[in-house]
Amino acid sequence: MPLCLVLNGLPAVADTVFAQTTIRPREVITADAVFVKDVDTTGAVQSLEQVIGAEAKHAIYAGRPVLIANITQPAVIERNQLVAATFVLNGLTIATEARALERGAVGDVIRAMNITSRSTIRAEVLEGGTLRVLP
């Protein structure tokens, strides 16, 4: 029999977000793909705000809870995409074009290849899908 905590005479039940339809890996989760149920599931997302606009890391099947470990920020840069890259150091700014060698969300550090020099660089993904080259 499950343990139920009672506060002020009412059972404490947390909301859990469930998949309405099957959500594929790398799919951005929309409002019509999920719903909230009055069930407490350990490790699951508890509000729609946390999950809508996020990206699924793995397949989430219809009727199953959406686990926190199965979602992430959506990628703004795809592998092999050509992107603007900027290097700034001591007032010197160098702008170039790079090819992303990995997918990345805002704030991620990914590898990219400088198109001009063909060297591999490490860069932080910025809003708008650009890169800030790290020293």
Side-chain angles (χ1 to χ4, degrees):
M1 176 172 253
L3 178 65
C4 185
L5 178 64
V6 177
L7 299 173
N8 299 329
L10 300 172
V13 179
D15 288 340
T16 298
V17 177
F18 284 81
Q20 180 76 32
T21 59
T22 297
I23 302 166
R24 297 179 186 192
R26 295 186 179 177
E27 184 179 332
V28 175
I29 301 170
T30 60
D32 60 339
V34 290
F35 67 96
V36 175
K37 207 176 190 183
D38 240 3
V39 182
D40 187 17
T41 305
T42 304
V45 177
Q46 295 181 342
S47 73
L48 291 174
E49 292 79 27
Q50 290 176 286
V51 74
I52 294 174
E55 180 178 284
K57 289 182 186 178
H58 311 286
I60 305 168
Y61 297 102
R64 304 287 305 193
V66 178
L67 301 178
I68 294 169
N70 284 345
I71 61 171
T72 187
Q73 285 186 304
V76 294
I77 293 179
E78 293 294 328
R79 186 175 184 271
N80 285 327
Q81 181 179 342
L82 292 176
V83 293
T86 307
F87 179 75
V88 179
L89 183 66
N90 297 331
L92 173 68
T93 301
I94 301 171
T96 189
E97 192 173 42
R99 179 176 305 278
L101 300 176
E102 302 170 308
R103 296 177 84 238
V106 174
D108 288 349
V109 174
I110 65 169
R111 291 177 310 115
M113 181 180 67
N114 181 326
I115 297 297
T116 307
S117 68
R118 300 264 190 231
S119 61
T120 301
I121 57 175
R122 287 186 43 228
E124 178 184 5
V125 178
L126 303 177
E127 287 283 337
T130 60
L131 297 175
R132 180 177 62 88
V133 179
L134 301 174

PDB file of all heavy atoms in Angstrom, residues 8-31:
ATOM      1  N   ASN A   8      -3.148  19.098   6.970  1.00  0.00           N
ATOM      2  CA  ASN A   8      -4.419  19.793   7.153  1.00  0.00           C
ATOM      3  C   ASN A   8      -5.608  18.931   6.748  1.00  0.00           C
ATOM      4  O   ASN A   8      -6.576  19.417   6.173  1.00  0.00           O
ATOM      5  CB  ASN A   8      -4.445  21.109   6.365  1.00  0.00           C
ATOM      6  CG  ASN A   8      -3.371  22.060   6.828  1.00  0.00           C
ATOM      7  OD1 ASN A   8      -3.008  22.050   8.002  1.00  0.00           O
ATOM      8  ND2 ASN A   8      -2.861  22.870   5.932  1.00  0.00           N
ATOM      9  N   GLY A   9      -5.509  17.633   6.947  1.00  0.00           N
ATOM     10  CA  GLY A   9      -6.613  16.744   6.630  1.00  0.00           C
ATOM     11  C   GLY A   9      -6.726  16.373   5.163  1.00  0.00           C
ATOM     12  O   GLY A   9      -7.598  15.624   4.777  1.00  0.00           O
ATOM     13  N   LEU A  10      -5.828  16.908   4.301  1.00  0.00           N
ATOM     14  CA  LEU A  10      -5.875  16.614   2.873  1.00  0.00           C
ATOM     15  C   LEU A  10      -4.634  15.840   2.457  1.00  0.00           C
ATOM     16  O   LEU A  10      -3.533  16.150   2.906  1.00  0.00           O
ATOM     17  CB  LEU A  10      -5.946  17.913   2.053  1.00  0.00           C
ATOM     18  CG  LEU A  10      -7.157  18.810   2.309  1.00  0.00           C
ATOM     19  CD1 LEU A  10      -6.978  20.135   1.579  1.00  0.00           C
ATOM     20  CD2 LEU A  10      -8.431  18.122   1.859  1.00  0.00           C
ATOM     21  N   PRO A  11      -4.759  14.838   1.605  1.00  0.00           N
ATOM     22  CA  PRO A  11      -3.573  14.118   1.153  1.00  0.00           C
ATOM     23  C   PRO A  11      -2.709  15.019   0.272  1.00  0.00           C
ATOM     24  O   PRO A  11      -3.219  15.824  -0.491  1.00  0.00           O
ATOM     25  CB  PRO A  11      -4.138  12.942   0.342  1.00  0.00           C
ATOM     26  CG  PRO A  11      -5.539  13.318   0.016  1.00  0.00           C
ATOM     27  CD  PRO A  11      -5.994  14.310   1.042  1.00  0.00           C
ATOM     28  N   ALA A  12      -1.382  14.906   0.421  1.00  0.00           N
ATOM     29  CA  ALA A  12      -0.450  15.703  -0.381  1.00  0.00           C
ATOM     30  C   ALA A  12      -0.153  14.951  -1.673  1.00  0.00           C
ATOM     31  O   ALA A  12       0.467  13.901  -1.644  1.00  0.00           O
ATOM     32  CB  ALA A  12       0.830  15.960   0.388  1.00  0.00           C
ATOM     33  N   VAL A  13      -0.642  15.465  -2.781  1.00  0.00           N
ATOM     34  CA  VAL A  13      -0.412  14.851  -4.080  1.00  0.00           C
ATOM     35  C   VAL A  13       0.183  15.908  -4.996  1.00  0.00           C
ATOM     36  O   VAL A  13      -0.337  17.009  -5.091  1.00  0.00           O
ATOM     37  CB  VAL A  13      -1.734  14.307  -4.689  1.00  0.00           C
ATOM     38  CG1 VAL A  13      -1.482  13.696  -6.044  1.00  0.00           C
ATOM     39  CG2 VAL A  13      -2.360  13.289  -3.754  1.00  0.00           C
ATOM     40  N   ALA A  14       1.267  15.576  -5.648  1.00  0.00           N
ATOM     41  CA  ALA A  14       1.917  16.523  -6.554  1.00  0.00           C
ATOM     42  C   ALA A  14       1.432  16.287  -7.973  1.00  0.00           C
ATOM     43  O   ALA A  14       1.053  15.178  -8.342  1.00  0.00           O
ATOM     44  CB  ALA A  14       3.429  16.353  -6.481  1.00  0.00           C
ATOM     45  N   ASP A  15       1.442  17.332  -8.772  1.00  0.00           N
ATOM     46  CA  ASP A  15       1.114  17.203 -10.188  1.00  0.00           C
ATOM     47  C   ASP A  15       2.284  16.570 -10.912  1.00  0.00           C
ATOM     48  O   ASP A  15       3.442  16.758 -10.537  1.00  0.00           O
ATOM     49  CB  ASP A  15       0.845  18.580 -10.798  1.00  0.00           C
ATOM     50  CG  ASP A  15      -0.471  19.173 -10.323  1.00  0.00           C
ATOM     51  OD1 ASP A  15      -1.329  18.404  -9.859  1.00  0.00           O
ATOM     52  OD2 ASP A  15      -0.633  20.403 -10.433  1.00  0.00           O
ATOM     53  N   THR A  16       1.981  15.827 -11.957  1.00  0.00           N
ATOM     54  CA  THR A  16       2.998  15.218 -12.810  1.00  0.00           C
ATOM     55  C   THR A  16       2.599  15.442 -14.256  1.00  0.00           C
ATOM     56  O   THR A  16       1.436  15.287 -14.611  1.00  0.00           O
ATOM     57  CB  THR A  16       3.130  13.708 -12.528  1.00  0.00           C
ATOM     58  OG1 THR A  16       3.546  13.539 -11.172  1.00  0.00           O
ATOM     59  CG2 THR A  16       4.157  13.063 -13.439  1.00  0.00           C
ATOM     60  N   VAL A  17       3.570  15.794 -15.084  1.00  0.00           N
ATOM     61  CA  VAL A  17       3.325  16.003 -16.513  1.00  0.00           C
ATOM     62  C   VAL A  17       3.489  14.667 -17.230  1.00  0.00           C
ATOM     63  O   VAL A  17       4.481  13.966 -17.043  1.00  0.00           O
ATOM     64  CB  VAL A  17       4.287  17.061 -17.096  1.00  0.00           C
ATOM     65  CG1 VAL A  17       4.078  17.219 -18.586  1.00  0.00           C
ATOM     66  CG2 VAL A  17       4.096  18.396 -16.385  1.00  0.00           C
ATOM     67  N   PHE A  18       2.504  14.330 -18.065  1.00  0.00           N
ATOM     68  CA  PHE A  18       2.510  13.103 -18.850  1.00  0.00           C
ATOM     69  C   PHE A  18       2.483  13.448 -20.331  1.00  0.00           C
ATOM     70  O   PHE A  18       1.984  14.507 -20.720  1.00  0.00           O
ATOM     71  CB  PHE A  18       1.281  12.243 -18.530  1.00  0.00           C
ATOM     72  CG  PHE A  18       1.375  11.521 -17.218  1.00  0.00           C
ATOM     73  CD1 PHE A  18       1.096  12.165 -16.030  1.00  0.00           C
ATOM     74  CD2 PHE A  18       1.745  10.186 -17.183  1.00  0.00           C
ATOM     75  CE1 PHE A  18       1.195  11.504 -14.822  1.00  0.00           C
ATOM     76  CE2 PHE A  18       1.843   9.511 -15.980  1.00  0.00           C
ATOM     77  CZ  PHE A  18       1.567  10.166 -14.797  1.00  0.00           C
ATOM     78  N   ALA A  19       2.977  12.541 -21.158  1.00  0.00           N
ATOM     79  CA  ALA A  19       2.943  12.722 -22.613  1.00  0.00           C
ATOM     80  C   ALA A  19       1.558  12.343 -23.130  1.00  0.00           C
ATOM     81  O   ALA A  19       1.051  11.269 -22.837  1.00  0.00           O
ATOM     82  CB  ALA A  19       4.009  11.858 -23.272  1.00  0.00           C
ATOM     83  N   GLN A  20       0.952  13.225 -23.899  1.00  0.00           N
ATOM     84  CA  GLN A  20      -0.341  12.970 -24.530  1.00  0.00           C
ATOM     85  C   GLN A  20      -0.135  12.098 -25.776  1.00  0.00           C
ATOM     86  O   GLN A  20      -0.927  11.219 -26.058  1.00  0.00           O
ATOM     87  CB  GLN A  20      -0.984  14.312 -24.938  1.00  0.00           C
ATOM     88  CG  GLN A  20      -2.327  14.193 -25.602  1.00  0.00           C
ATOM     89  CD  GLN A  20      -3.428  13.892 -24.597  1.00  0.00           C
ATOM     90  OE1 GLN A  20      -3.368  14.321 -23.455  1.00  0.00           O
ATOM     91  NE2 GLN A  20      -4.414  13.145 -25.024  1.00  0.00           N
ATOM     92  N   THR A  21       0.946  12.395 -26.493  1.00  0.00           N
ATOM     93  CA  THR A  21       1.316  11.640 -27.689  1.00  0.00           C
ATOM     94  C   THR A  21       2.776  11.221 -27.537  1.00  0.00           C
ATOM     95  O   THR A  21       3.476  11.726 -26.662  1.00  0.00           O
ATOM     96  CB  THR A  21       1.188  12.514 -28.960  1.00  0.00           C
ATOM     97  OG1 THR A  21       2.054  13.654 -28.811  1.00  0.00           O
ATOM     98  CG2 THR A  21      -0.237  13.004 -29.165  1.00  0.00           C
ATOM     99  N   THR A  22       3.231  10.340 -28.382  1.00  0.00           N
ATOM    100  CA  THR A  22       4.642   9.948 -28.328  1.00  0.00           C
ATOM    101  C   THR A  22       5.494  11.120 -28.796  1.00  0.00           C
ATOM    102  O   THR A  22       5.240  11.706 -29.851  1.00  0.00           O
ATOM    103  CB  THR A  22       4.901   8.711 -29.201  1.00  0.00           C
ATOM    104  OG1 THR A  22       4.133   7.623 -28.663  1.00  0.00           O
ATOM    105  CG2 THR A  22       6.371   8.341 -29.199  1.00  0.00           C
ATOM    106  N   ILE A  23       6.502  11.455 -28.002  1.00  0.00           N
ATOM    107  CA  ILE A  23       7.410  12.570 -28.308  1.00  0.00           C
ATOM    108  C   ILE A  23       8.739  11.958 -28.711  1.00  0.00           C
ATOM    109  O   ILE A  23       9.349  11.213 -27.950  1.00  0.00           O
ATOM    110  CB  ILE A  23       7.575  13.497 -27.087  1.00  0.00           C
ATOM    111  CG1 ILE A  23       6.202  14.039 -26.651  1.00  0.00           C
ATOM    112  CG2 ILE A  23       8.545  14.623 -27.399  1.00  0.00           C
ATOM    113  CD1 ILE A  23       6.199  14.681 -25.274  1.00  0.00           C
ATOM    114  N   ARG A  24       9.186  12.271 -29.911  1.00  0.00           N
ATOM    115  CA  ARG A  24      10.431  11.700 -30.431  1.00  0.00           C
ATOM    116  C   ARG A  24      11.655  12.406 -29.877  1.00  0.00           C
ATOM    117  O   ARG A  24      11.576  13.573 -29.478  1.00  0.00           O
ATOM    118  CB  ARG A  24      10.455  11.811 -31.954  1.00  0.00           C
ATOM    119  CG  ARG A  24       9.367  11.036 -32.617  1.00  0.00           C
ATOM    120  CD  ARG A  24       9.450  11.216 -34.095  1.00  0.00           C
ATOM    121  NE  ARG A  24       8.307  10.580 -34.728  1.00  0.00           N
ATOM    122  CZ  ARG A  24       8.224  10.382 -36.006  1.00  0.00           C
ATOM    123  NH1 ARG A  24       9.185  10.779 -36.811  1.00  0.00           N
ATOM    124  NH2 ARG A  24       7.161   9.803 -36.518  1.00  0.00           N
ATOM    125  N   PRO A  25      12.813  11.731 -29.900  1.00  0.00           N
ATOM    126  CA  PRO A  25      14.055  12.396 -29.480  1.00  0.00           C
ATOM    127  C   PRO A  25      14.315  13.631 -30.332  1.00  0.00           C
ATOM    128  O   PRO A  25      14.030  13.630 -31.536  1.00  0.00           O
ATOM    129  CB  PRO A  25      15.126  11.328 -29.720  1.00  0.00           C
ATOM    130  CG  PRO A  25      14.399  10.037 -29.739  1.00  0.00           C
ATOM    131  CD  PRO A  25      13.024  10.335 -30.264  1.00  0.00           C
ATOM    132  N   ARG A  26      14.821  14.687 -29.719  1.00  0.00           N
ATOM    133  CA  ARG A  26      15.149  15.969 -30.347  1.00  0.00           C
ATOM    134  C   ARG A  26      13.919  16.772 -30.762  1.00  0.00           C
ATOM    135  O   ARG A  26      14.042  17.822 -31.372  1.00  0.00           O
ATOM    136  CB  ARG A  26      16.069  15.798 -31.554  1.00  0.00           C
ATOM    137  CG  ARG A  26      17.430  15.265 -31.200  1.00  0.00           C
ATOM    138  CD  ARG A  26      18.325  15.269 -32.409  1.00  0.00           C
ATOM    139  NE  ARG A  26      19.645  14.785 -32.061  1.00  0.00           N
ATOM    140  CZ  ARG A  26      20.609  14.634 -32.930  1.00  0.00           C
ATOM    141  NH1 ARG A  26      20.402  14.920 -34.199  1.00  0.00           N
ATOM    142  NH2 ARG A  26      21.781  14.200 -32.547  1.00  0.00           N
ATOM    143  N   GLU A  27      12.727  16.306 -30.421  1.00  0.00           N
ATOM    144  CA  GLU A  27      11.501  17.038 -30.734  1.00  0.00           C
ATOM    145  C   GLU A  27      11.263  18.084 -29.651  1.00  0.00           C
ATOM    146  O   GLU A  27      11.410  17.808 -28.465  1.00  0.00           O
ATOM    147  CB  GLU A  27      10.318  16.074 -30.800  1.00  0.00           C
ATOM    148  CG  GLU A  27       9.014  16.711 -31.201  1.00  0.00           C
ATOM    149  CD  GLU A  27       7.886  15.699 -31.281  1.00  0.00           C
ATOM    150  OE1 GLU A  27       8.138  14.507 -31.554  1.00  0.00           O
ATOM    151  OE2 GLU A  27       6.735  16.107 -31.068  1.00  0.00           O
ATOM    152  N   VAL A  28      10.881  19.294 -30.075  1.00  0.00           N
ATOM    153  CA  VAL A  28      10.544  20.344 -29.120  1.00  0.00           C
ATOM    154  C   VAL A  28       9.125  20.071 -28.636  1.00  0.00           C
ATOM    155  O   VAL A  28       8.212  19.853 -29.432  1.00  0.00           O
ATOM    156  CB  VAL A  28      10.667  21.745 -29.757  1.00  0.00           C
ATOM    157  CG1 VAL A  28      10.203  22.818 -28.795  1.00  0.00           C
ATOM    158  CG2 VAL A  28      12.119  22.009 -30.166  1.00  0.00           C
ATOM    159  N   ILE A  29       8.951  20.065 -27.335  1.00  0.00           N
ATOM    160  CA  ILE A  29       7.670  19.693 -26.728  1.00  0.00           C
ATOM    161  C   ILE A  29       6.704  20.866 -26.766  1.00  0.00           C
ATOM    162  O   ILE A  29       7.031  21.975 -26.348  1.00  0.00           O
ATOM    163  CB  ILE A  29       7.885  19.202 -25.283  1.00  0.00           C
ATOM    164  CG1 ILE A  29       8.832  17.993 -25.290  1.00  0.00           C
ATOM    165  CG2 ILE A  29       6.560  18.859 -24.621  1.00  0.00           C
ATOM    166  CD1 ILE A  29       9.317  17.565 -23.928  1.00  0.00           C
ATOM    167  N   THR A  30       5.501  20.608 -27.278  1.00  0.00           N
ATOM    168  CA  THR A  30       4.453  21.623 -27.388  1.00  0.00           C
ATOM    169  C   THR A  30       3.356  21.361 -26.363  1.00  0.00           C
ATOM    170  O   THR A  30       3.274  20.277 -25.788  1.00  0.00           O
ATOM    171  CB  THR A  30       3.840  21.623 -28.802  1.00  0.00           C
ATOM    172  OG1 THR A  30       3.273  20.326 -29.044  1.00  0.00           O
ATOM    173  CG2 THR A  30       4.885  21.941 -29.861  1.00  0.00           C
ATOM    174  N   ALA A  31       2.483  22.345 -26.174  1.00  0.00           N
ATOM    175  CA  ALA A  31       1.409  22.242 -25.179  1.00  0.00           C
ATOM    176  C   ALA A  31       0.439  21.107 -25.484  1.00  0.00           C
ATOM    177  O   ALA A  31      -0.088  20.479 -24.567  1.00  0.00           O
ATOM    178  CB  ALA A  31       0.659  23.562 -25.087  1.00  0.00           C
TER     179      ALA A  31
END
